[in-house]
């Protein structure tokens, strides 16, 4: 029965999904696959090391001292990323808590005299905060809209999306988050904090922002996409660690959710960065406890201590806990599908009408949210306060907006509280703390929880996708903890046990909804343990996460994967498509014509080819003395543009510059070929050449990558996919079967002792003629290479 229901659910989800044009069909916002939803062209990143002569010359000039200097700078940048992200999180939280505190204090003081005037003030304050947020995003930093996690995930997957790591995006993310979260919208600041950490890491990696004259040249050490990728990974982990005060969870989040490549050296730096964030955040919390931060005090940061909650559970409670996991999977999958439909409609119809429509939409949602959060508690009758327990530390009632339970809102007597206002007319952090609280049985009625669940679920679906920075962690926790507490109320009434805490079930509900929506397991489990300070609940959290993820996977993809697809971000997932098993590399190339350059090429031909196509990599071919055609390497479009702009390598003769094999002097630094992260780089339209320049020639041999990755034409596309993704490649050559084998490298050939001179290491390689010794040399060696059948790039890997 269950399998049939899951099968029917999968078919229904597929039917709904088929109604939405996918990015693979090139229909998202009317742009091609490698375009984001805002129309910007998204190119692949060059994670592969281009070993041209400039790179080899630069490596040869570097000694052990420079290598040590690089290591020190990497760790120093990790320290700065942790400090910067921690301070940004402190600033955001202090601002949000103070705006919320002033708002609730002012509103509460006014409603003592007039509820109408209090409602007007409450709506206006929220409206001003949301308007400031959407105005900053629409007019200053369009890339700051949304959570930013799909874009960062695409960047770490090998896709360069313009604008997502700029300085103005960082500013827009910080101040936009303050306005949107402080304005009471049904969204959080955790996703924006991940994006904030990535922006800080990227800016530090490039030495600051040259556009705003905030740059430090001594930090401009790491200019390759590979190094920037590692720094951005540190920033993502720092963002999660700052949002939840969960350093280990931040490391696991970066490993499980956003990165596509990982290695042990990066693990150490990411862990160090998260530890620095934890130190900065806790130091700021200690400083603020003295009252120097206004309304930001013991609350504020997202941490809900449930260590005093339920300590043990019986075997009979596992069934309702499993039910919580199923509910989380169903509601999470439904949430993903609804946000997908609404976001698609919003992006393709509503937001195409301009920034004014985006501002009006956000302001309208702000007014509706304020009216619901203020008006619905007025419809509920107040409940008498329970008998106070001196040991519990819980006071009844408390004024709205203050840390604690039992909010007095529109109550006729002093010793009464409004249970709906306790979670609705409050900040999200304090509302979650109320739902997680122990020793508060029967504080909330089932009617109030159901009302809040339906309304907040609807608001979260509608709000996500507006032109403001928006995270989904805290709204997901709010939704899950609400139905989790409902199940907890049922368990308390059914089992009649004194040790059952409704707050424990609220925590399990929060984990189940996040697992059913975002489909994270290990990192989410650790984050939930760290933010609740309750290791005893670890097995139960694992149980509901596994169930909710399994149920959600039966219907659709995870939340971030769907949003990335909708934005036209072509992610290479961890596993290839099933149909790739029956395809060969040559089939993926199709009937495309490979555009190549000869080694000695005329400048006019280079300009013509660059203007006539948009390819980013070109094979370079040469001819042997016997007239055979050989592939000698790969030259990138960006490198050709640098050569055309500098003109220093133009020559009058159509002959090789070093026919005797002696390299000419290097006229370029390797850093000249690196595209800056804060701009789109050089385009062919930016280059102006005279008629005499067009008649000259360029020898491409010193500037090409002589060792690109090559696969045979009949290799399985599954193996090509895994090679492409795991190595972070941008191009792969597809060639016919080789005619002969030069040698074979095994594991022992790669085990080189550090004490040996790398220029004189003898490797024992196995050849087809027997065991022969090969000596590693630093100069170029001519190797026979077959002619190309095709060139694989990232969009061929997307099935």
């Amino acid at each position: 029965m269950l399998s049939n229901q899951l099968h029917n659910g999968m078919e229904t989800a597929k039917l709904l999904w088929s109604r939405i044009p996918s990015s693979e069909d090139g229909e998202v916002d009317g742009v091609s696959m490698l375009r984001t939803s805002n129309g910007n062209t998204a190119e692949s990143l060059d994670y592969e090391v281009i070993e041209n002569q400039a790179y080899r010359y630069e490596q040869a000039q570097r000694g052990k001292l420079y290598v040590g200097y690089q290591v020190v700078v990497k760790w120093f940048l990790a320290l700065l990323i942790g400090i910067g992200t921690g301070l940004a999180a402190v600033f955001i939280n202090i601002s949000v808590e103070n705006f919320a505190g002033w708002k609730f204090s002012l509103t509460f003081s006014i409603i003592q005299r007039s509820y109408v005037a209090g409602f007007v003030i409450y709506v206006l304050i929220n409206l001003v905060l949301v308007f400031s947020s959407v105005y900053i995003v629409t007019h200053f930093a369009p890339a700051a809209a949304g959570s930013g996690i799909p874009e960062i995930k695409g960047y770490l997957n090998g896709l360069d999306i313009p604008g997502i790591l700029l300085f103005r995006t960082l500013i827009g993310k910080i101040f936009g988050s303050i306005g949107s979260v402080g304005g009471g919208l049904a969204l959080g600041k955790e996703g924006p904090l991940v994006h904030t950490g990535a922006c800080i890491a990227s800016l530090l990696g490039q030495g600051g922002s040259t556009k705003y004259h905030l740059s430090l040249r001594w930090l401009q050490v790491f200019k390759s996409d590979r190094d920037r990728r590692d720094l951005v990974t540190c920033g993502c982990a720092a963002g999660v660690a700052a949002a939840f005060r969960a350093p280990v969870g931040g490391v696991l989040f970066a490993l499980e959710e956003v990165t596509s490549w990982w290695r042990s050296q990066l693990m150490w730096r990411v862990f160090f960065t998260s530890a620095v964030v934890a130190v900065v955040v806790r130091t700021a919390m200690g400083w603020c406890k003295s009252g120097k931060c206004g309304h930001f005090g013991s609350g504020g940061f997202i941490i809900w201590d449930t260590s005093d909650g339920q300590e043990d559970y019986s075997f009979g409670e596992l069934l309702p806990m499993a039910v919580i996991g199923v509910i989380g999977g169903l509601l999470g999958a439904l949430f993903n599908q609804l946000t997908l439909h609404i976001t698609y409609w919003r992006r393709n119809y509503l937001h195409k009408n301009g920034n004014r429509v985006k501002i009006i939409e956000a302001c309208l949602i702000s007014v509706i949210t304020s009216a619901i959060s203020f008006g619905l508690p007025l419809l509920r009758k107040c409940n008498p306060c329970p008998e106070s327990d001196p040991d519990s530390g819980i006071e009844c009632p408390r004024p709205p907006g203050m840390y604690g339970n039992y909010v007095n809102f529109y109550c006729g007597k002093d010793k009464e509280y409004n249970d709906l206002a306790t979670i609705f007319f409050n900040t999200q952090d304090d509302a979650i703390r109320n739902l997680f609280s122990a020793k508060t049985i029967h504080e909330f009625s089932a009617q109030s929880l159901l009302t809040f669940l339906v309304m907040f679920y609807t608001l979260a679906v509608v709000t996500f996708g507006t032109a403001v920075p928006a995270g989904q962690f805290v709204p997901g926790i709010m939704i899950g903890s609400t139905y989790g507490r409902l199940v907890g109320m049922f368990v308390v009434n059914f089992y009649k046990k004194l040790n059952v805490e409704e707050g424990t079930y609220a925590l399990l509900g929060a984990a189940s909804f996040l697992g059913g929506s975002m489909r994270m397991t290990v990192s989410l489990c650790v984050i939930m343990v760290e933010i609740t300070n309750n290791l005893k609940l670890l097995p139960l959290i694992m149980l509901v996460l596994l169930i909710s993820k399994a149920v959600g996977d039966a219907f659709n993809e995870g939340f971030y994967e769907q949003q990335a697809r909708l934005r036209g971000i072509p992610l290479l997932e961890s596993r290839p498509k099933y149909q790739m098993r029956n395809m060969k590399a040559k089939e993926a190339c199709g009937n495309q014509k490979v555009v190549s350059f000869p080694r000695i090429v005329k400048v006019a031909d280079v300009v013509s080819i660059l203007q006539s196509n948009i390819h980013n990599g070109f094979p370079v071919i040469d001819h042997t003395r016997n007239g055979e055609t050989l592939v000698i390497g790969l030259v990138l479009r960006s490198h050709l543009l640098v050569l055309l702009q500098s003109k220093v390598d133009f020559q009058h003769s159509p002959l090789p510059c070093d026919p005797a094999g002696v390299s000419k002097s290097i006229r370029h630094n390797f850093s000249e070929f690196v595209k800056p992260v804060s701009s789109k780089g050089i385009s062919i339209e930016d280059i102006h050449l005279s008629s005499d320049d067009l008649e000259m020639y360029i020898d491409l041999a010193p500037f090409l990558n002589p060792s690109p990755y090559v696969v045979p034409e009949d290799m399985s596309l599954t193996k090509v996919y895994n090679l492409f993704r795991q190595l972070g490649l941008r191009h792969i050559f597809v060639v016919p079967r080789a005619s002969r084998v030069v040698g074979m490298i095994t594991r022992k050939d790669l085990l080189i002792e550090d004490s040996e001179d790398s220029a004189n290491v003898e490797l024992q390689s196995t050849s087809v003629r027997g065991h022969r010794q090969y000596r590693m040399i630093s100069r170029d060696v001519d190797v026979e290479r077959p002619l190309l059948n095709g060139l694989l790039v990232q969009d061929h890997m997307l099935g």
Side-chain angles (χ1 to χ4, degrees), residues 116-131:
V116 175
F119 171 73
V120 173
I121 294 299
Y122 180 73
V123 171
L124 288 178
I125 294 176
N126 285 336
L127 186 62
V128 170
L129 290 173
V130 173
F131 175 80

Side-chain angles (χ1 to χ4, degrees), residues 13 33 81 305 373 413 451 491 506 604 716:
M33 181 187 301
I81 293 171
D305 193 350
S373 60
K413 299 180 181 179
T451 302
V491 174
S716 168

